[in-house]
Amino acid sequence: MESIRVSIAAPIWSSPELALERRRRRRRPPPPPAGRRSSLSRSAGRLSALFAMDVSQADPLKEVTLGTVMATEEEYASQSKLLQEFTNVCSIDKAWIFQSEKGKGSQAMFSVSQSNLLANKRRKFILSAQIASGSSNSVTFQWAQFPVEMANASLIVPSPSGSKLLIVKNPENDSPVQLEIWGSSQLEKEFHIPQSVHGSVYTDKWFEGVSWNFDESLIAYVAEEPAPSKPTFDSSGYKKDSSNEKDCGSWKGQGDFEEEWGETYAGKRKPALFVIDIQSGEVRAVQGIASSLSVGQVIWAPSSGGIDQHLVFVGWSSDQRKLGIRYCYNRPCALYVTKNPFHQSEANEKDFKGDSGKGSTLYNLTQSISSAFLPRFSPDGKYLLFLSAKSAVDSGAHGATNSLHKIDWPVDGELSLHRSIVDVIPVIMNAEEGHFPGLYFSGLLTNPWLSDGCTMILSSIWGSSEVILAVNVLNGSVSRISPTESSASWEILSLDGDNIVAVSSSPTDVPQLKYGYLIDKTISSASWSWLDISSSIFKCSEKVKMLLGSLQFNIIKIPVKNVAACTTKGASKPFEAIFVSTKSKNDLPDPLIVVLHGGPHAVAISSFSKSLAFLSSLGFSLLIVNYRGSIGFGEEALQSLPGKVGSQDVDDVLTAIDHAVNLGLANPSRIAVVGGSHGGFLTTHLIGQAPDKFIAAATRNPVCNLGLMVGTTDIPDWCYVESFGSEGKNHFTEAPSAEHLSLFYSKSPISHLHKVKTPTLFLLSAKDLRVPFSNGLQYARALREKGVEHKVIVFPHDVHGIDRPQSDFESFLNIGVWFKKYCK
């Protein structure tokens, strides 16, 4: 495993005594001359003699130590086998459906991934199926006999008709980017784009954008801009007029420091926009984009007169410092329109004047709103729809309630640049019980439209679940079309005409493919029926089936403890927790693990999690708390947390635990807690503020000291907004004052460290730019100073998420063993 174990406390599967004895057995020094052995030496000699004996004759204390180590090693081996069975379950990353050429049925293509622990990567493959409709609203999927592995494929993008397939292969060094165009039976084109043209194509699901034009002759995409030239030196000193070509007689300097977009973007150059002609292989960079603008999510505007003239993309401005953008929806962004670099304007063609004045072909379409992303054109080309995180941008919270908007688009291609932005779904501040709580997008299809041309299908968070919504973009009506009686989570994969292919899962059920169809054909008053689709994609072992079959879950409403302190109605409403437990009735409840998500403006949903299912299968109940401030519950509840971190969120978790205990779901003497990032912030706060409540804790890349984090993180503004509230945007500075640092300390878990006595496991990433591992390491070293039992594992090549397959595996394996040790 690629990890470094920092032996602040000895690893739980290896003790200092046992390691010392093993070394002694390998090389015992000769005894010193008679008469020169101290009492300490004599004691050590007796200890060595005892260890050389049979264990049954050994010192009782050492016998216990060795027995504990052996038992722990057996636990480690047993749990690793079980965790591997869960790890082997596959995931669907994307799906596409195309109408068959003969007009009967359709063809589905699923991009599937599976952990490859030995290679420390995810194995990717394609599985295809023929979809055929039968009588009585039945449907059958005829699966291909075997999947096809997509080795080295960074990105797969079918053309709109499904007749071509783009495969992007990014290099791991300075080699060219490889673009392959496949037809139905063979490779048709292959292009090698040198680094002097552009670097790797973005595949990050945020800047990422690859779009075929309508006649499938051009592809627009986002890639790293070419590397800037760097100073070159040789034996004579500085070398003038140097190039980026390698020369064994010289060496490259570093050049000027360039800002990056933070976590997961280390070493990535600025995203820029390119178009390739797939007939000639010519690649053109889109000109006229300001150097301060990073681009992403490009799509083609509807063609005018059969000509693809314009591209629409999202732009993020960075005139000053680039703050971290991963998981940070509070970064201002806008939609821009620009000319296709292959389009030659006709003499009588009307043009528009861009933002940069004469000669510019770039224009900001959304100047009146602070956030605009994920653009989609309506099928008739009359509207440009987009999502917005203006609530996050305006408040400073890194995640908040989304909104959906539209702009009229000219069908004649003549752009008028002063178009109003119309709200389709506004920000929902506070919804009544059971009503739509607001838009919290979790994904948007490339083509999300039903055949009426005005109904958009998308996935969104609704409380503690993910659901599928139908949105009428003409009147703004929103319908929940995944089953309302289901507490499981539902995610849309693709549309098959007016039918839906989705996946449903829960904490106790592996994912299941679903096929949704309209019971009546009137979309405006539609009700949907859902069929189970037989598939081996999510195949799991009989042991996993048995263990999951013994579990149950439900979503619990938890009343707010101090309603009088709430300043809004939304903040006073009950929050939720997902409770997972065994179906069997025991005299005493199983040990409880309290699970805390990060963010804090994120959510834990009722979907299948391999790591949490593994912990459940070890004999633990889970209490997965969505404290106030989580998304999915309305904007008022979410905005109640900034300025109150370390108090309101901590109180909510303690209230949830007490609620579970009062319901008889938990034994108050056997409770553990685990969380990552802000969940780690809460974990370390809880073991300090409630030191007698938890018998064990585990934390992944925790925020332990805001005063230390603010000077080292890629998101220092987060420290200000969560500590000060929305006014933190105005206080934010790169040079915190003494007063600021004092407030950060008072909000931090380290201020309660002197009370901690809970054995704690730390799992840290050496390449974490979000919460640098010095944060957790400082806290762990302070626990060592106090004599509190703990263990630290540092993953040297991981970023904040600890999601490389080997690291994720070792992380949750150690959590399982750690909790079993203390929760017997």
Side-chain angles (χ1 to χ4, degrees), residues 14 18 138 198 202 263 326 330 384 395 398 501 520 558 577 619 646 675 690 720 793:
S14 176
L18 184 57
S138 64
H198 64 65
Y202 268 83
E263 174 67 18
R326 186 75 165 181
N330 61 326
L384 173 60
S395 68
H398 279 225
V501 176
D520 62 59
I558 301 168
Y720 275 88
I793 297 177

PDB file of all heavy atoms in Angstrom, residues 14 18 138 198 202 263 326 330 384 395 398 501 520 558 577 619 646 675 690 720 793:
ATOM      1  N   SER A  14       0.708  -3.661  15.252  1.00  0.00           N
ATOM      2  CA  SER A  14       2.121  -3.881  15.553  1.00  0.00           C
ATOM      3  C   SER A  14       2.473  -3.121  16.814  1.00  0.00           C
ATOM      4  O   SER A  14       2.215  -1.943  16.925  1.00  0.00           O
ATOM      5  CB  SER A  14       2.980  -3.391  14.392  1.00  0.00           C
ATOM      6  OG  SER A  14       4.337  -3.517  14.706  1.00  0.00           O
ATOM      7  N   LEU A  18       6.639  -6.031  20.533  1.00  0.00           N
ATOM      8  CA  LEU A  18       6.812  -7.140  19.601  1.00  0.00           C
ATOM      9  C   LEU A  18       7.891  -6.812  18.575  1.00  0.00           C
ATOM     10  O   LEU A  18       8.734  -7.651  18.246  1.00  0.00           O
ATOM     11  CB  LEU A  18       5.501  -7.438  18.903  1.00  0.00           C
ATOM     12  CG  LEU A  18       5.510  -8.663  17.962  1.00  0.00           C
ATOM     13  CD1 LEU A  18       5.930  -9.913  18.705  1.00  0.00           C
ATOM     14  CD2 LEU A  18       4.148  -8.849  17.333  1.00  0.00           C
ATOM     15  N   SER A 138     -43.714  -3.537 -21.253  1.00  0.00           N
ATOM     16  CA  SER A 138     -42.517  -4.251 -20.827  1.00  0.00           C
ATOM     17  C   SER A 138     -41.341  -3.819 -21.686  1.00  0.00           C
ATOM     18  O   SER A 138     -41.508  -3.293 -22.787  1.00  0.00           O
ATOM     19  CB  SER A 138     -42.718  -5.762 -20.927  1.00  0.00           C
ATOM     20  OG  SER A 138     -42.905  -6.136 -22.283  1.00  0.00           O
ATOM     21  N   HIS A 198      -1.564  22.311 -27.377  1.00  0.00           N
ATOM     22  CA  HIS A 198      -2.238  22.344 -26.074  1.00  0.00           C
ATOM     23  C   HIS A 198      -1.822  21.128 -25.262  1.00  0.00           C
ATOM     24  O   HIS A 198      -1.278  20.141 -25.791  1.00  0.00           O
ATOM     25  CB  HIS A 198      -3.765  22.429 -26.207  1.00  0.00           C
ATOM     26  CG  HIS A 198      -4.420  21.249 -26.853  1.00  0.00           C
ATOM     27  ND1 HIS A 198      -4.440  19.982 -26.304  1.00  0.00           N
ATOM     28  CD2 HIS A 198      -5.125  21.152 -28.025  1.00  0.00           C
ATOM     29  CE1 HIS A 198      -5.115  19.159 -27.085  1.00  0.00           C
ATOM     30  NE2 HIS A 198      -5.530  19.844 -28.150  1.00  0.00           N
ATOM     31  N   TYR A 202      -9.236  18.493 -20.521  1.00  0.00           N
ATOM     32  CA  TYR A 202      -9.818  18.478 -19.170  1.00  0.00           C
ATOM     33  C   TYR A 202     -10.888  17.388 -19.059  1.00  0.00           C
ATOM     34  O   TYR A 202     -11.783  17.291 -19.901  1.00  0.00           O
ATOM     35  CB  TYR A 202     -10.412  19.842 -18.828  1.00  0.00           C
ATOM     36  CG  TYR A 202      -9.424  20.751 -18.124  1.00  0.00           C
ATOM     37  CD1 TYR A 202      -8.493  21.488 -18.845  1.00  0.00           C
ATOM     38  CD2 TYR A 202      -9.410  20.846 -16.737  1.00  0.00           C
ATOM     39  CE1 TYR A 202      -7.581  22.312 -18.204  1.00  0.00           C
ATOM     40  CE2 TYR A 202      -8.505  21.667 -16.078  1.00  0.00           C
ATOM     41  CZ  TYR A 202      -7.587  22.396 -16.816  1.00  0.00           C
ATOM     42  OH  TYR A 202      -6.680  23.192 -16.177  1.00  0.00           O
ATOM     43  N   GLU A 263      -7.040  22.715  -5.069  1.00  0.00           N
ATOM     44  CA  GLU A 263      -7.218  21.279  -4.850  1.00  0.00           C
ATOM     45  C   GLU A 263      -7.602  20.536  -6.127  1.00  0.00           C
ATOM     46  O   GLU A 263      -8.543  20.940  -6.828  1.00  0.00           O
ATOM     47  CB  GLU A 263      -8.284  21.073  -3.768  1.00  0.00           C
ATOM     48  CG  GLU A 263      -8.698  19.643  -3.524  1.00  0.00           C
ATOM     49  CD  GLU A 263      -7.600  18.790  -2.921  1.00  0.00           C
ATOM     50  OE1 GLU A 263      -6.631  19.360  -2.379  1.00  0.00           O
ATOM     51  OE2 GLU A 263      -7.714  17.567  -2.990  1.00  0.00           O
ATOM     52  N   ARG A 326     -12.579  23.484  -6.828  1.00  0.00           N
ATOM     53  CA  ARG A 326     -13.181  22.158  -6.693  1.00  0.00           C
ATOM     54  C   ARG A 326     -14.156  22.155  -5.524  1.00  0.00           C
ATOM     55  O   ARG A 326     -13.804  22.520  -4.406  1.00  0.00           O
ATOM     56  CB  ARG A 326     -12.084  21.130  -6.451  1.00  0.00           C
ATOM     57  CG  ARG A 326     -12.545  19.690  -6.426  1.00  0.00           C
ATOM     58  CD  ARG A 326     -12.839  19.218  -7.824  1.00  0.00           C
ATOM     59  NE  ARG A 326     -12.956  17.765  -7.902  1.00  0.00           N
ATOM     60  CZ  ARG A 326     -13.184  17.100  -9.020  1.00  0.00           C
ATOM     61  NH1 ARG A 326     -13.304  17.756 -10.153  1.00  0.00           N
ATOM     62  NH2 ARG A 326     -13.282  15.801  -9.026  1.00  0.00           N
ATOM     63  N   ASN A 330     -19.148  28.924  -5.128  1.00  0.00           N
ATOM     64  CA  ASN A 330     -19.257  30.364  -4.865  1.00  0.00           C
ATOM     65  C   ASN A 330     -18.282  31.187  -5.698  1.00  0.00           C
ATOM     66  O   ASN A 330     -18.128  32.381  -5.457  1.00  0.00           O
ATOM     67  CB  ASN A 330     -19.011  30.644  -3.380  1.00  0.00           C
ATOM     68  CG  ASN A 330     -17.612  30.221  -2.932  1.00  0.00           C
ATOM     69  OD1 ASN A 330     -17.075  29.233  -3.433  1.00  0.00           O
ATOM     70  ND2 ASN A 330     -17.033  30.944  -1.989  1.00  0.00           N
ATOM     71  N   LEU A 384     -31.817  29.412 -24.231  1.00  0.00           N
ATOM     72  CA  LEU A 384     -30.585  28.945 -23.617  1.00  0.00           C
ATOM     73  C   LEU A 384     -30.845  28.837 -22.118  1.00  0.00           C
ATOM     74  O   LEU A 384     -31.082  29.842 -21.441  1.00  0.00           O
ATOM     75  CB  LEU A 384     -29.430  29.914 -23.894  1.00  0.00           C
ATOM     76  CG  LEU A 384     -28.109  29.623 -23.167  1.00  0.00           C
ATOM     77  CD1 LEU A 384     -27.569  28.246 -23.559  1.00  0.00           C
ATOM     78  CD2 LEU A 384     -27.076  30.705 -23.470  1.00  0.00           C
ATOM     79  N   SER A 395     -23.540  35.032  -0.978  1.00  0.00           N
ATOM     80  CA  SER A 395     -23.396  34.872   0.479  1.00  0.00           C
ATOM     81  C   SER A 395     -21.979  34.490   0.884  1.00  0.00           C
ATOM     82  O   SER A 395     -21.579  34.726   2.032  1.00  0.00           O
ATOM     83  CB  SER A 395     -24.352  33.780   0.990  1.00  0.00           C
ATOM     84  OG  SER A 395     -23.962  32.495   0.506  1.00  0.00           O
ATOM     85  N   HIS A 398     -19.785  28.107   0.342  1.00  0.00           N
ATOM     86  CA  HIS A 398     -19.208  27.400  -0.809  1.00  0.00           C
ATOM     87  C   HIS A 398     -20.198  26.516  -1.542  1.00  0.00           C
ATOM     88  O   HIS A 398     -19.904  26.039  -2.640  1.00  0.00           O
ATOM     89  CB  HIS A 398     -17.982  26.609  -0.356  1.00  0.00           C
ATOM     90  CG  HIS A 398     -16.768  27.463  -0.245  1.00  0.00           C
ATOM     91  ND1 HIS A 398     -15.543  27.104  -0.724  1.00  0.00           N
ATOM     92  CD2 HIS A 398     -16.599  28.714   0.294  1.00  0.00           C
ATOM     93  CE1 HIS A 398     -14.669  28.064  -0.494  1.00  0.00           C
ATOM     94  NE2 HIS A 398     -15.286  29.050   0.123  1.00  0.00           N
ATOM     95  N   VAL A 501     -33.708   5.970 -18.316  1.00  0.00           N
ATOM     96  CA  VAL A 501     -32.864   4.937 -17.718  1.00  0.00           C
ATOM     97  C   VAL A 501     -32.183   5.574 -16.509  1.00  0.00           C
ATOM     98  O   VAL A 501     -31.525   6.617 -16.633  1.00  0.00           O
ATOM     99  CB  VAL A 501     -31.822   4.398 -18.707  1.00  0.00           C
ATOM    100  CG1 VAL A 501     -30.899   3.396 -18.018  1.00  0.00           C
ATOM    101  CG2 VAL A 501     -32.518   3.739 -19.896  1.00  0.00           C
ATOM    102  N   ASP A 520     -49.421   7.643 -18.957  1.00  0.00           N
ATOM    103  CA  ASP A 520     -50.176   8.224 -20.063  1.00  0.00           C
ATOM    104  C   ASP A 520     -49.219   9.119 -20.837  1.00  0.00           C
ATOM    105  O   ASP A 520     -48.169   9.497 -20.354  1.00  0.00           O
ATOM    106  CB  ASP A 520     -51.397   9.006 -19.569  1.00  0.00           C
ATOM    107  CG  ASP A 520     -51.007  10.187 -18.684  1.00  0.00           C
ATOM    108  OD1 ASP A 520     -50.267  11.063 -19.156  1.00  0.00           O
ATOM    109  OD2 ASP A 520     -51.457  10.233 -17.514  1.00  0.00           O
ATOM    110  N   ILE A 558     -35.300  14.891  13.150  1.00  0.00           N
ATOM    111  CA  ILE A 558     -34.776  15.236  14.478  1.00  0.00           C
ATOM    112  C   ILE A 558     -35.128  16.688  14.802  1.00  0.00           C
ATOM    113  O   ILE A 558     -34.690  17.612  14.109  1.00  0.00           O
ATOM    114  CB  ILE A 558     -33.253  15.032  14.522  1.00  0.00           C
ATOM    115  CG1 ILE A 558     -32.940  13.564  14.200  1.00  0.00           C
ATOM    116  CG2 ILE A 558     -32.695  15.418  15.879  1.00  0.00           C
ATOM    117  CD1 ILE A 558     -31.499  13.298  13.942  1.00  0.00           C
ATOM    118  N   ALA A 577     -31.447  12.512   9.777  1.00  0.00           N
ATOM    119  CA  ALA A 577     -30.336  11.570   9.861  1.00  0.00           C
ATOM    120  C   ALA A 577     -30.784  10.249   9.244  1.00  0.00           C
ATOM    121  O   ALA A 577     -31.957   9.871   9.334  1.00  0.00           O
ATOM    122  CB  ALA A 577     -29.895  11.365  11.304  1.00  0.00           C
ATOM    123  N   GLY A 619     -21.090  -5.163  12.035  1.00  0.00           N
ATOM    124  CA  GLY A 619     -21.891  -5.233  13.257  1.00  0.00           C
ATOM    125  C   GLY A 619     -22.162  -3.889  13.893  1.00  0.00           C
ATOM    126  O   GLY A 619     -22.556  -3.823  15.065  1.00  0.00           O
ATOM    127  N   GLY A 646     -18.889  24.918  14.770  1.00  0.00           N
ATOM    128  CA  GLY A 646     -18.294  24.549  16.054  1.00  0.00           C
ATOM    129  C   GLY A 646     -19.256  24.666  17.207  1.00  0.00           C
ATOM    130  O   GLY A 646     -18.938  24.264  18.333  1.00  0.00           O
ATOM    131  N   GLY A 675     -15.582  11.253  10.506  1.00  0.00           N
ATOM    132  CA  GLY A 675     -15.907  12.315   9.558  1.00  0.00           C
ATOM    133  C   GLY A 675     -14.666  12.770   8.838  1.00  0.00           C
ATOM    134  O   GLY A 675     -13.538  12.589   9.326  1.00  0.00           O
ATOM    135  N   ALA A 690     -17.539  16.968  24.074  1.00  0.00           N
ATOM    136  CA  ALA A 690     -18.265  15.899  24.781  1.00  0.00           C
ATOM    137  C   ALA A 690     -17.303  14.737  25.017  1.00  0.00           C
ATOM    138  O   ALA A 690     -17.446  13.664  24.422  1.00  0.00           O
ATOM    139  CB  ALA A 690     -19.476  15.458  23.969  1.00  0.00           C
ATOM    140  N   TYR A 720     -13.102  32.381   6.681  1.00  0.00           N
ATOM    141  CA  TYR A 720     -13.747  33.637   7.090  1.00  0.00           C
ATOM    142  C   TYR A 720     -15.271  33.525   7.080  1.00  0.00           C
ATOM    143  O   TYR A 720     -15.941  33.929   8.040  1.00  0.00           O
ATOM    144  CB  TYR A 720     -13.292  34.772   6.161  1.00  0.00           C
ATOM    145  CG  TYR A 720     -11.993  35.404   6.588  1.00  0.00           C
ATOM    146  CD1 TYR A 720     -10.781  34.891   6.145  1.00  0.00           C
ATOM    147  CD2 TYR A 720     -11.977  36.493   7.454  1.00  0.00           C
ATOM    148  CE1 TYR A 720      -9.575  35.463   6.539  1.00  0.00           C
ATOM    149  CE2 TYR A 720     -10.787  37.074   7.857  1.00  0.00           C
ATOM    150  CZ  TYR A 720      -9.582  36.552   7.401  1.00  0.00           C
ATOM    151  OH  TYR A 720      -8.403  37.113   7.813  1.00  0.00           O
ATOM    152  N   ILE A 793      -1.968   7.736   9.864  1.00  0.00           N
ATOM    153  CA  ILE A 793      -1.516   7.204   8.586  1.00  0.00           C
ATOM    154  C   ILE A 793      -1.530   8.348   7.580  1.00  0.00           C
ATOM    155  O   ILE A 793      -2.536   9.054   7.449  1.00  0.00           O
ATOM    156  CB  ILE A 793      -2.413   6.053   8.085  1.00  0.00           C
ATOM    157  CG1 ILE A 793      -2.371   4.874   9.056  1.00  0.00           C
ATOM    158  CG2 ILE A 793      -1.969   5.593   6.698  1.00  0.00           C
ATOM    159  CD1 ILE A 793      -3.284   3.732   8.671  1.00  0.00           C
TER     160      ILE A 793
END
